[in-house]
Amino acid sequence: MATTQREDFSCAAATNDSAYRRIATPVLRIDAGPGPAVALMAGVHGDEWEGQAAILELWHRLPDLLRRGTVYLLPAANAEASLAGARLSPSDGGNLNRAFLGAPARGYTESVAAALEARLLPRIQTLIDVHSGGASLRYLPASVITRQGDDPYDARLPALARAFGLPHCIFFRGGEPGSMPAAASRHGVLRLSAEIGGGRESSQALVARCRDGLLGCLAELGLLDRGPRAPAASPALYDLNADAATLRAAEAGVFIPEACLGQTLEAGQALGTLIEPARPELPARAVLPSQPGTVVCLRAIARSHPGDCLAQVARALSLDSLPDLYRPCS
Ligand SMILES: [Zn+2]
C-alpha cells in the first residue's frame, strides 16, 4: 500500500488590494517503495482543464494503484491562474511556461517556477506535463514531444507517446531558456507533454482519455503492474515546428472556420474566412494555410486580431520518423 504526503508550497501573490497575499500550489507525493520518481502536472496554464481534472481524479485513485516508485501530483501548478480560470497569473500577468528564469524571482509566477525548479525537478526522472488549447484554441487530443535546444533523441519518447494512447502526437522545438521544457532539460528530466481539447470548456470523455493516458505512461515507466487498456496503435506525428504550420491572422476579422479539427486540407484549400460584419463593404477574405495537411489546432474565439493563431496544419507522419526531427539539419 502506497503512502501519501502533502507537499504543498505557497508563493507571494500580492495585489493592490492584498498586500501579503499568498497562494498555495497543491502537491501530493505518493510513495510505493523503490523505483522511478515521476511528476504528473497540469495547470501550468490555468484555463487548460483536461489535465487538471484528470490529475485530480488520480489524486484520489492513484494511492491504491501505485505498485512501485514515487509519483508527485500537481493538478494546478499555477494555482492562482486555475482559480481565476485564466491562462496567465492574474497578480503579475506571468506565463508560468516562460518563467523558469532563475534567481531572483520577480513576482508570483517566477516564484512558482523557482519552487518547481528547486523542489520538484531535482527529485524526478520523468515529467508528464498536460496542456490544452485553453480559452483561445482547441487541439486534437495529442501527446506532445518538445525538443529543447539540441537535446539528443531519446528512444523512450515514442514509447511514452504510444503509452499515452492518444491518436495524435505533436512535435515542437523549444529554444526559450525560461520554458518548462528548458528547465526539465537542464535537470536531465525526461518530459512528455500533451495538448487535449480547449475552448474554455471540457468533457468527461476527454478527461478520461487524459487520465488513462497518464496511467498508461506510469505503466510504461514501470510504476504500475499494467496500464488501463491494451497499447494503442502508434499515433500520427505532426511537426508543428515549421513556420508554415502555424497560420496567424494577418488582419482583423471574425474567423469563420469551414474546416474541422482533424480534417485533411489539400494544397490551396481554404480553412475558412475572415469577415467584418460592421464593414459590409469588405469582402470575405479566405484563410489559406501555407501548407496542406491535417488541422491539428483551431482558434476557438471568432473575433480575431492581427497575429492571433487561427490554426495549425501539418502533414501526418509516421511516429517512426521522429528520430529524423533530431538530425542536425532538421
Ligand atoms: Zn498550456
Side-chain angles (χ1 to χ4, degrees), residues 103-122:
R106 300 160 303 175
Y108 167 78
T109 313
E110 289 184 20
S111 296
V112 174
L116 292 173
E117 188 146 11
R119 302 165 58 102
L120 183 71
L121 293 179

Side-chain angles (χ1 to χ4, degrees), residues 126-128 143 145 155-166 190-193 213-214 216-221 235 319:
T126 306
L127 168 67
I128 314 289
S143 49
I145 293 169
R156 295 173 295 178
L157 283 168
L160 266 186
R162 284 190 191 95
F164 209 112
L166 296 174
L190 179 69
R191 177 181 177 274
L192 185 78
S193 183
L214 293 167
C217 288
L218 292 180
E220 168 66 24
L221 294 164
L319 189 62

Side-chain angles (χ1 to χ4, degrees), residues 37-39 70 72 120-127 187-189:
V38 179
T70 302
Y72 296 86
L120 183 71
L121 293 179
R123 298 159 75 183
I124 60 174
Q125 290 86 51
T126 306
L127 168 67
H187 288 268
V189 172

